[in-house]
Amino acid sequence: MSDKVIPPINPKIIDEFRTYFENQIGELFPEDKVCVLLSGGIDSTLMGLVCHHLGKKVVGVSYQLEKEENIDCVRSSNTSDLMGWDFHRVIVPTNQIEDWFFHLIYEQKCQKKTVLEILYPFIFMIHKVNELGFTKVITGFGNPLPDGRSGNVEGRKDWEGYLNQINYEWSVTDGTQKCIDYGKSIGVDLHLPLIDERVVDIIRKISFDQVNHPYEKTPWKRIYEDDVRKVGLMDVRKISLQKGNGVQNLFPKVLKNPKINKPNYSKGNNIIRLGSLIKWWSKQPKKRIPKYINLNPQIKEGNQPPIIEFEPYTLKDVKRESDKELFSVVTTFSGGGGSSTGYKLGGGKILLMNEFIPEGVNTYLQNYPDTPYEMVDIRKITRRGGREYVVDFFKSKGIEVGGFDILDGSPPCSTFSTAGKGTQKNEQKNVKYSDTTQDCIGMLIHDFVYINNVMKPKVCIIENVPSIKSSDVFQYSLERMRRWGYLVNYSTMCSSNFGVPQRRRRLIVIGIRPDICKSIGIKHEEEILDLYPEGSSYEPTIGDGLDGVVVDEFERKQLLLNSVKQSTYELIKSIPIDPSTVRGMGTVRENWTSDFNLIRTSMYQPSPTLTQMGQQMGRGGCFHPMEDRVFTINELKRLMGLPDDYILTGTFNQRSERCGRMVTPPIYKYLSQSIYENVLKPTKDVEWEGEK
């Protein structure tokens, strides 16, 4: 029997990859000189080659351990010499490992062996980037092509399923996220062009067999084929972190120190023993650890990354802050009050809330009964009588054109859960949404923008899923704001960087009225990005969030019983309890395929995104780390960053849905505090002079 014939990748697809990367990097890096973190493999080399072909001067940075050769660094150096790039080799010290061990666990909050090993050399590389005068750097992190044995097995088994699961959370490992956060802490932004839905959309046009035929990562190597051959990477396979750079031999030295290896881990190899020791120390209070030197290199006073830990709080705390009435907010698509709670924590006063789901309004008013509200579909405000009707409607609530600080809204995002699927989906009829069915819910963002353009708040804030940025509907709506003079920009914020034990990423738009921009000196939309608060270098874990939580025993038993009744019970039982990291079915069953998500969370990591359906009874979703059930409502409130005594109304499924749809309040607390200090406070006396 002859071998299977694998057709070559269509050259048009290779051109499509090239065009995407050159356009993306050209927009992100308009400057003539660009810094690239080189790892010796094709992923990072591709980033350098893109810059090279854009006519930019490439500055490469790689590393080796002191007195040891790193083959990745050697390859990076050779590539740089052949391409004429400026190259900087960073020497990473191998002494004081005990001090670094505790520094990485307690100052950088590394809780896993791989994260510690990845971050350690990265710290020195990113300081070199900073020293060279760069405030941003390109990396090859997050490559979506199958990488390693497990990725190739999974891709061959179900190529479409493999591609469907690729998203930011899937691609960005804990180690990568820690590097991103550390870079931000010293003023260097990491850009990961390989992580984008558009890259995956192009990959869909090729088969799994074509991905690694005839070379590993063939699509990347074909883009600049002559250069890849020139630098000798055409038929070279990646050497993993654990094998290529010597770091894997560095930290096991602490196992020999009885003052550090207090649990006396002696069974198993160094990988298992070191992983167990790191996990053990990460659970210990800081006061129990031996004295160590905080070795963070070259961090100047005042540049230390912020540490925002999880802190339980109550509605009394919310009221105390809200009573300051530092700024005013009109909130639409208010749901059960997640964003409003955040604004109140930031010192804001809610002038009016609008929500059309009755159970959402009920929840909101149970917690904030004195808030003026309007339970109506926003389209009945915007489409009833034009501008005059909108102005009169708000005037009847005591709100004048240009007379309030922030217009807030979270238009439904269900039709944007997969980016770029076109207008058709946004215009669907009878779409199931919460307790109702709706038509064209993906277009509601235009109704929100219409209210903004009529009522002229100083600041407009929109929240949605990150993938909305690739939607034409989203981009058109922002253009409508710009036509009325607003300067607009957006960025993605992650809840775990702001004291919430959940990696819930949301895209936040900030639009600022033209007279306010002029008053505070904002001339370009890029400057709006400076308003987003700096996130914490520490991510609270589920263990942090659930510490001391009061669990309703009746509810807990009901959830356990409900799990037993489900067809998925045997599946969740097959995932061991108390995993060191989030575990899905794919980690325990090699041939696992399914159209629903089923994972066991970990006490030692933040929760993945909790969705409005994933925590309901009778569905797959995020299960408790220690028990075969989803989370109770009190546990959900902790994982969402809600007050402990926050009241959620309705059935269990309605209450869990409310949580899954909410903005996590701490994100808006820190965001609104930044906007108040930098925009609203300096323009307190600026009055709207346009048409009323």
Side-chain angles (χ1 to χ4, degrees):
M1 183 182 292
S2 60
D3 292 338
K4 179 180 179 180
V5 177
I6 301 173
I9 299 174
N10 189 325
K12 291 182 179 180
I13 296 175
I14 300 299
D15 289 340
E16 199 171 344
F17 279 125
R18 183 187 300 110
T19 299
Y20 164 74
F21 286 124
E22 290 184 353
N23 288 343
Q24 177 82 339
I25 291 177
E27 291 176 9
L28 288 172
F29 292 83
E31 51 269 48
D32 296 330
K33 186 185 289 188
V34 179
C35 190
V36 182
L37 293 185
L38 296 175
S39 63
I42 187 60
D43 301 336
S44 62
T45 302
L46 172 61
M47 300 297 99
L49 290 174
V50 173
C51 297
H52 181 89
H53 282 265
L54 288 171
K56 300 180 184 298
K57 181 177 180 180
V58 178
V59 179
V61 174
S62 190
Y63 80 94
Q64 69 180 53
L65 296 185
E66 191 174 20
K67 299 179 182 178
E68 290 191 33
E69 184 176 79
N70 176 4
I71 190 171
D72 291 339
C73 187
V74 172
R75 287 178 180 171
S76 299
S77 176
N78 291 341
T79 295
S80 298
D81 287 343
L82 289 165
M83 297 305 301
W85 300 343
D86 188 10
F87 180 72
H88 296 267
R89 178 184 284 102
V90 176
I91 305 300
V92 176
T94 56
N95 60 345
Q96 293 183 283
I97 290 304
E98 289 86 357
D99 290 318
W100 275 110
F101 178 79
F102 287 118
H103 169 85
L104 290 163
I105 292 174
Y106 285 95
E107 304 300 329
Q108 302 304 328
K109 309 298 182 184
C110 295
Q111 298 174 338
K112 293 196 295 185
K113 173 182 174 290
T114 52
V115 176
L116 184 143
E117 290 177 339
I118 290 169
L119 183 62
Y120 178 58
F122 177 86
I123 285 174
F124 294 90
M125 284 198 294
I126 206 67
H127 278 285
K128 170 57 74 172
V129 172
N130 200 2
E131 180 187 312
L132 293 170
F134 292 97
T135 58
K136 51 187 176 179
V137 63
I138 299 179
T139 79
F141 296 165
N143 165 50
L145 295 176
D147 200 0
R149 181 182 178 279
S150 61
N152 280 299
V153 168
E154 192 173 343
R156 184 174 298 282
K157 177 179 61 180
D158 181 7
W159 183 227
E160 188 62 29
Y162 173 90
L163 294 175
N164 285 339
Q165 69 178 322
I166 295 176
N167 53 41
Y168 185 91
E169 291 180 7
W170 184 91
S171 302
V172 176
T173 64
D174 292 337
T176 297
Q177 188 62 52
K178 190 65 71 175
C179 292
I180 293 170
D181 295 340
Y182 188 85
K184 286 182 180 179
S185 75
I186 65 166
V188 179
D189 288 329
L190 271 70
H191 289 276
L192 293 69
L194 290 172
I195 301 178
D196 195 287
E197 287 91 346
R198 287 167 289 182
V199 176
V200 179
D201 285 342
I202 302 174
I203 292 175
R204 290 181 190 279
K205 300 177 183 180
I206 58 181
S207 69
F208 171 80
D209 289 330
Q210 291 174 316
V211 168
N212 290 329
H213 180 81
Y215 309 107
E216 185 179 53
K217 299 180 181 176
T218 292
W220 297 167
K221 294 181 178 181
R222 293 295 191 203
I223 294 175
Y224 302 107
E225 189 168 351
D226 291 343
D227 288 331
V228 174
R229 291 189 185 279
K230 175 180 175 180
V231 301
L233 289 181
M234 185 59 75
D235 198 17
V236 174
R237 292 187 173 273
K238 172 187 173 183
I239 296 179
S240 71
L241 167 73
Q242 279 68 34
K243 295 179 180 178
N245 57 26
V247 175
Q248 83 283 357
N249 298 321
L250 200 55
F251 286 98
K253 296 175 183 178
V254 303
L255 292 165
K256 299 176 182 179
N257 186 332
K259 292 183 179 179
I260 298 178
N261 190 6
K262 288 184 178 182
N264 191 26
Y265 290 119
S266 56
K267 295 182 180 180
N269 58 32
N270 282 346
I271 294 174
I272 294 172
R273 294 165 64 207
L274 182 60
S276 298
L277 186 60
I278 292 169
K279 181 177 176 180
W280 186 83
W281 273 112
S282 68
K283 294 180 180 179
Q284 308 307 311
K286 196 171 181 180
K287 63 184 179 182
R288 290 191 58 185
I289 68 171
K291 289 185 178 180
Y292 67 95
I293 302 170
N294 188 350
L295 296 167
N296 220 358
Q298 305 170 23
I299 285 194
K300 299 177 183 177
E301 191 66 32
N303 283 344
Q304 292 282 0
I307 299 293
I308 305 174
E309 297 184 348
F310 174 80
E311 291 186 12
Y313 66 104
T314 66
L315 285 167
K316 183 178 179 181
D317 300 316
V318 178
K319 185 177 187 307
R320 182 185 64 246
E321 297 303 314
S322 182
D323 283 347
K324 296 176 182 177
E325 297 189 2
L326 300 177
F327 55 90
S328 57
V329 182
V330 170
T331 174
T332 62
F333 305 99
S334 305
S339 62
S340 292
T341 301
Y343 287 121
K344 286 173 175 286
L345 287 169
K349 177 183 179 181
I350 308 299
L351 301 180
L352 176 69
M353 72 82 80
N354 165 242
E355 170 59 51
F356 77 101
I357 299 295
E359 207 58 60
V361 176
N362 192 19
T363 287
Y364 193 108
L365 296 179
Q366 286 289 321
N367 296 282
Y368 307 121
D370 297 330
T371 305
Y373 71 97
E374 190 72 19
M375 189 172 71
V376 65
D377 187 325
I378 194 172
R379 289 173 284 204
K380 292 185 178 178
I381 301 173
T382 58
R383 304 182 188 183
R384 180 164 289 181
R387 180 186 184 279
E388 184 177 351
Y389 181 86
V390 173
V391 172
D392 288 344
F393 170 82
F394 281 97
K395 188 175 290 187
S396 70
K397 310 294 181 182
I399 301 167
E400 299 285 345
V401 174
F404 61 105
D405 293 319
I406 296 175
L407 176 65
D408 162 72
S410 299
C413 58
S414 57
T415 57
F416 296 116
S417 57
T418 301
K421 293 299 181 185
T423 306
Q424 218 172 15
K425 190 172 182 181
N426 299 319
E427 296 178 354
Q428 283 180 349
K429 304 284 187 181
N430 298 318
V431 176
K432 173 70 175 172
Y433 183 80
S434 192
D435 300 331
T436 70
T437 55
Q438 288 281 298
D439 297 338
C440 305
I441 62 174
M443 306 300 284
L444 286 170
I445 190 171
H446 284 297
D447 294 273
F448 175 84
V449 168
Y450 181 70
I451 287 178
N452 180 78
N453 291 345
V454 169
M455 293 305 298
K456 300 293 191 301
K458 289 183 176 181
V459 177
C460 170
I461 295 177
I462 307 173
E463 175 266 347
N464 215 297
V465 292
S467 55
I468 194 179
K469 65 184 178 182
S470 299
S471 162
D472 289 343
V473 173
F474 173 72
Q475 295 296 341
Y476 292 158
S477 67
L478 299 193
E479 284 305 313
R480 288 179 54 207
M481 290 173 63
R482 292 183 176 113
R483 284 192 218 117
W484 288 88
Y486 278 78
L487 293 189
V488 185
N489 214 327
Y490 52 85
S491 184
T492 299
M493 298 176 67
C494 185
S495 298
S496 59
N497 295 135
F498 296 92
V500 181
Q502 180 186 168
R503 283 191 181 136
R504 188 182 190 86
R505 299 177 69 256
R506 286 298 182 265
L507 183 138
I508 310 291
V509 177
I510 298 177
I512 305 179
R513 208 170 68 196
D515 59 323
I516 301 301
C517 288
K518 183 177 180 180
S519 180
I520 58 178
I522 289 182
K523 298 179 180 179
H524 306 287
E525 291 191 336
E526 212 172 89
E527 296 173 68
I528 291 177
L529 297 177
D530 295 333
L531 299 175
Y532 291 87
E534 183 179 6
S536 171
S537 59
Y538 173 65
E539 295 180 292
T541 65
I542 288 180
D544 294 332
L546 300 189
D547 185 25
V549 69
V550 177
V551 175
D552 184 315
E553 275 302 310
F554 176 79
E555 188 174 86
R556 172 180 168 272
K557 290 176 181 177
Q558 287 294 106
L559 294 176
L560 286 168
L561 180 62
N562 182 264
S563 292
V564 173
K565 293 177 179 178
Q566 301 305 314
S567 60
T568 56
Y569 183 64
E570 285 75 21
L571 301 179
I572 192 61
K573 287 289 288 184
S574 68
I575 305 178
I577 64 170
D578 196 21
S580 60
T581 187
V582 172
R583 300 286 300 275
M585 283 303 302
T587 65
V588 295
R589 289 197 178 185
E590 187 173 322
N591 297 319
W592 169 256
T593 57
S594 176
D595 59 355
F596 69 95
N597 202 19
L598 183 70
I599 64 173
R600 190 182 296 283
T601 56
S602 169
M603 282 289 190
Y604 316 107
Q605 290 182 304
S607 165
T609 299
L610 299 173
T611 65
Q612 52 94 8
M613 294 184 69
Q615 290 309 114
Q616 295 186 23
M617 287 190 189
R619 300 182 183 275
C622 294
F623 276 66
H624 195 282
M626 312 300 291
E627 297 186 335
D628 300 323
R629 61 173 175 84
V630 294
F631 295 100
T632 67
I633 296 300
N634 282 352
E635 290 168 333
L636 280 178
K637 288 191 288 187
R638 287 285 186 92
L639 300 182
M640 290 299 300
L642 286 166
D644 273 356
D645 54 350
Y646 204 79
I647 300 168
L648 293 158
T649 63
T651 65
F652 179 89
N653 282 356
Q654 286 176 317
R655 289 179 288 157
S656 61
E657 182 201 0
R658 287 278 80 70
C659 284
R661 292 192 185 278
M662 279 189 185
V663 175
T664 53
I667 274 192
Y668 271 31
K669 168 189 171 181
Y670 290 99
L671 179 67
S672 63
Q673 285 175 341
S674 176
I675 289 174
Y676 171 71
E677 290 295 334
N678 295 290
V679 179
L680 301 176
K681 186 177 180 180
T683 61
K684 186 176 181 180
D685 298 326
V686 175
E687 294 187 3
W688 172 245
E689 295 181 355
E691 184 181 0
K692 293 291 187 180

